[in-house]
Amino acid sequence: MRFFLDTANLEELKIGASWGILDGCTTNPSLIAKEGVKFEDRVREITEIVDGDISAEVLATDAAGMLDEGRKLAKIHKNIVVKVPLTRDGIKACSVFSKEGIRVNVTLCFSAGQAILAAKAGAYVVSPFVGRIDDTGADGMQLIRDICLIYKNYSFETQVLAASLRTVNHVIDSAKAGAHIGTMPFKVMDGLFSHPLTDRGLEQFLKDYNKAFSK
Ligand code: E4P
């Protein structure tokens, strides 16, 4: 399973990259807005930190505008994956991009039917939003399981990028379901390290060693 950070914050990305387990990054207009910086500038800065896929989302809502923006984004760096929303225009743009060899992340996926459309349009990855489905009272993780099963049934090459992961268990359950990638906020990735028995065990090891050899 590849691990992506769902952030446009450079400090978080630097720490994630220093751990050696960071495979990529996803951004969206809200995450960029939170940083208060110019979109293309921030995407360029991210390419200098993250050695892996970097999703950059178009702002246009019509296919022609998405194609124009996406082609420019793809030229910034070879690792850029153009992110388009799962709308009729987004799927139309995705079909064209995939024929041009531009990799696409189809985002805002909330149903298995939508995920089939993304795969048929040649998307590189599809992003089902687990947490936002949970917010409605439905089971977001079931969507990950359904899409993984359908893609396997038809040998679709599109990868499942489990998104809107809010907890460590979301990451673990996505891995169990067979999601190819999980994108998560920094605090969730950091949380994967934590276990009280690890802390207690380490403390005890050092205490025992120091007791025996410190005199
Ligand atoms: C995915 O690419 C999105 O940026 C993200 O996962 C959305 O997560 P949220 O629902 O926690 O905002």
Side-chain angles (χ1 to χ4, degrees):
M1 188 189 205
R2 287 194 285 158
F3 273 8
F4 289 6
L5 271 173
D6 196 26
T7 184
N9 182 279
L10 300 184
E11 287 319 304
E12 292 180 346
L13 289 165
K14 278 179 196 162
I15 298 172
S18 77
W19 288 333
I21 48 103
L22 185 65
D23 302 301
C25 157
T26 49
T27 65
N28 64 39
S30 308
L31 292 171
I32 299 271
K34 211 165 106 187
E35 297 300 313
V37 285
K38 208 173 149 241
F39 177 50
E40 283 85 2
D41 292 347
R42 183 44 55 101
V43 170
R44 261 189 205 92
E45 288 171 310
I46 295 174
T47 63
E48 285 159 23
I49 299 169
V50 178
D51 183 17
D53 295 345
I54 298 154
S55 287
E57 189 159 343
V58 297
L59 294 172
T61 53
D62 63 302
M66 289 183 199
L67 287 168
D68 187 42
E69 271 182 51
R71 285 175 186 135
K72 284 182 192 140
L73 288 170
K75 278 194 188 121
I76 294 179
H77 195 277
K78 64 175 173 41
N79 287 345
I80 299 293
V81 176
V82 176
K83 205 169 174 189
V84 303
L86 210 154
T87 57
R88 287 173 181 78
D89 282 80
I91 290 298
K92 191 171 167 183
C94 178
S95 302
V96 176
F97 280 137
S98 64
K99 284 185 190 88
E100 292 178 359
I102 291 176
R103 297 179 304 157
V104 180
N105 173 352
V106 178
T107 189
L108 290 169
C109 173
F110 293 95
S111 80
Q114 290 181 320
I116 296 172
L117 292 173
K120 288 181 68 65
Y124 168 62
V125 292
V126 68
S127 293
F129 279 34
V130 175
R132 291 194 195 186
I133 293 177
D134 286 356
D135 290 344
T136 69
D139 181 3
M141 201 50 65
Q142 189 53 46
L143 178 59
I144 302 293
R145 290 187 207 101
D146 288 345
I147 299 172
C148 287
L149 173 69
I150 293 167
Y151 281 10
K152 204 170 158 208
N153 285 347
Y154 292 94
S155 304
F156 281 131
E157 284 175 16
T158 303
Q159 296 184 38
V160 180
L161 194 171
S164 187
L165 301 179
R166 309 252 174 89
T167 65
V168 164
N169 280 341
H170 272 163
V171 179
I172 297 168
D173 290 340
S174 299
K176 283 159 81 176
H180 305 82
I181 308 161
T183 191
M184 62 204 86
F186 179 82
K187 72 169 186 330
V188 173
M189 189 176 278
D190 189 55
L192 287 167
F193 286 90
S194 306
H195 200 289
L197 292 180
T198 305
D199 298 339
R200 217 182 302 160
L202 181 60
E203 197 185 322
Q204 190 65 48
F205 285 158
L206 296 177
K207 209 162 126 194
D208 292 345
Y209 185 89
N210 287 331
K211 202 165 141 194
F213 296 110
S214 64
K215 285 172 201 146

